[in-house]
Amino acid sequence: MTTADASWPMDETDDEPRGPVGKAFRLSAADSLSLGNALCGFLAVCVLAWSAISSLQEGKPFAADPRFFGTAVVLLLIGATCDLFDGLVARKFRASAMGAELDNLADVISFGFAPAFMVVIWAGFNQRIPFMMVMAAAASVLLAGVIRLARFACVKTKSGDFMGLPIPMGAMTVVSVVLLFPPSVATVLPIFGVAYLMVSRIEYPKPKGNLAAVVLAWMMINVACLTIWAAGLAGGDTLIKVGAVMQMAIVAAIPLRVLMFKREKRKERKAAAGVG
């Protein structure tokens, strides 16, 4: 055996990971919330799939049932609440070694794949819309969400805000389009716009302090409105439309406010340069 051969087992051992590997298998309270988020996304997909499967088993043309969509959206909102709290819990108590990875993987399921699948169920059975267009819109939501999460892990803004529309807000905006409009070519197009906002460089404020409380209250109100709507109670249709319109308005207003702020800053710099 040569010297190189003799050293080979030792080289292989040196390549093995070192450090407290056992700690990576310990789930923290924050990890449990991340797993709850992933489970909610999975259950939302199952509910939507069952809505189509049950119709096909009965031999009926598929029509989106508000009860199934309402249940799926409530599950996504519960997942979003878990996502909002897992970071707070991790900072307050203990974060595990795999906390950040679990958070991102759960977000891909709940706010990437689940809303993309919802788009397919919403518009994929409509003969007036090209199926490839529906698939492209759904794929854009999924891929934009994956890119958004990967960039979030690698890029930090100077202000500490989010670069691009946060994926939970993007998912809720896609859901708002699905709930507010019947499927058509014109109503599928805004979904591409949501995907663009997620991968854009527009900065969105990070929910902290009072803003985090407002976001949580907004989620709870949406859950209540969706429950009323799915139960078929009086005023449910109005509530769901108001909530969806407000969600879309908030997402659209923030980029406009950022553009106006940048324009004001440019004017101030030009005025200062002129005075100098």
Side-chain angles (χ1 to χ4, degrees):
M1 181 179 291
T2 64
T3 305
D5 293 334
S7 65
W8 176 76
M10 186 174 293
D11 292 341
E12 184 182 49
T13 304
D14 290 344
D15 289 338
E16 292 181 358
R18 297 179 178 180
V21 178
K23 290 185 178 180
F25 296 97
R26 300 175 187 172
L27 293 176
S28 66
D31 295 338
S32 299
L33 289 172
S34 296
L35 292 175
N37 178 17
L39 181 61
C40 286
F42 170 72
L43 292 176
V45 171
C46 290
V47 167
L48 294 171
W50 177 246
S51 69
I53 292 170
S54 58
S55 294
L56 295 174
Q57 286 178 337
E58 296 172 2
K60 299 177 181 178
F62 175 74
D65 190 330
R67 292 175 301 171
F68 288 105
F69 273 81
T71 302
V73 176
V74 168
L75 286 166
L76 292 184
L77 284 169
I78 294 173
T81 304
C82 291
D83 184 59
L84 178 65
F85 274 106
D86 63 4
L88 299 175
V89 171
R91 287 189 291 270
K92 184 71 174 178
F93 300 102
R94 179 179 59 86
S96 72
M98 56 182 177
E101 286 73 15
L102 277 177
D103 186 26
N104 283 343
L105 291 171
D107 286 351
V108 168
I109 297 171
S110 293
F111 310 128
F113 180 70
F117 189 76
M118 184 177 288
V119 170
V120 175
I121 295 296
W122 168 63
F125 292 86
N126 193 309
Q127 300 298 324
R128 294 173 295 177
I129 308 173
F131 185 69
M132 291 305 298
M133 181 180 184
V134 177
M135 291 300 294
S140 70
V141 172
L142 175 61
L143 295 178
V146 172
I147 294 171
R148 172 71 184 76
L149 291 170
R151 190 174 65 182
F152 173 73
C154 301
V155 179
K156 303 299 180 184
T157 60
K158 293 181 179 179
S159 61
D161 292 332
F162 295 117
M163 181 183 291
L165 180 66
I167 187 171
M169 189 176 289
M172 291 302 111
T173 308
V174 171
V175 167
S176 297
V177 173
V178 169
L179 295 180
L180 193 60
F181 302 108
S184 67
V185 172
T187 54
V188 169
L189 292 176
I191 294 173
F192 290 101
V194 176
Y196 166 76
L197 288 176
M198 282 196 283
V199 297
S200 70
R201 296 189 177 184
I202 298 172
E203 293 187 6
Y204 284 78
K206 183 177 289 188
K208 301 176 183 177
N210 292 334
L211 183 57
V214 170
V215 171
L216 178 61
W218 172 248
M219 289 179 180
M220 295 298 100
I221 292 171
N222 278 338
V223 169
C225 291
L226 281 164
T227 304
I228 293 171
W229 171 71
L233 300 178
D237 289 340
T238 302
L239 286 173
I240 198 66
K241 289 177 180 178
V242 171
V245 169
M246 289 181 65
Q247 173 67 29
M248 296 174 66
I250 290 171
V251 170
I254 292 176
L256 292 176
R257 179 67 187 94
V258 170
L259 291 174
M260 291 174 61
F261 178 77
K262 289 183 177 180
R263 182 178 296 179
E264 292 172 0
K265 286 294 183 182
R266 284 197 296 267
K267 289 181 179 179
E268 290 177 2
R269 286 196 294 267
K270 288 180 180 179
V275 172

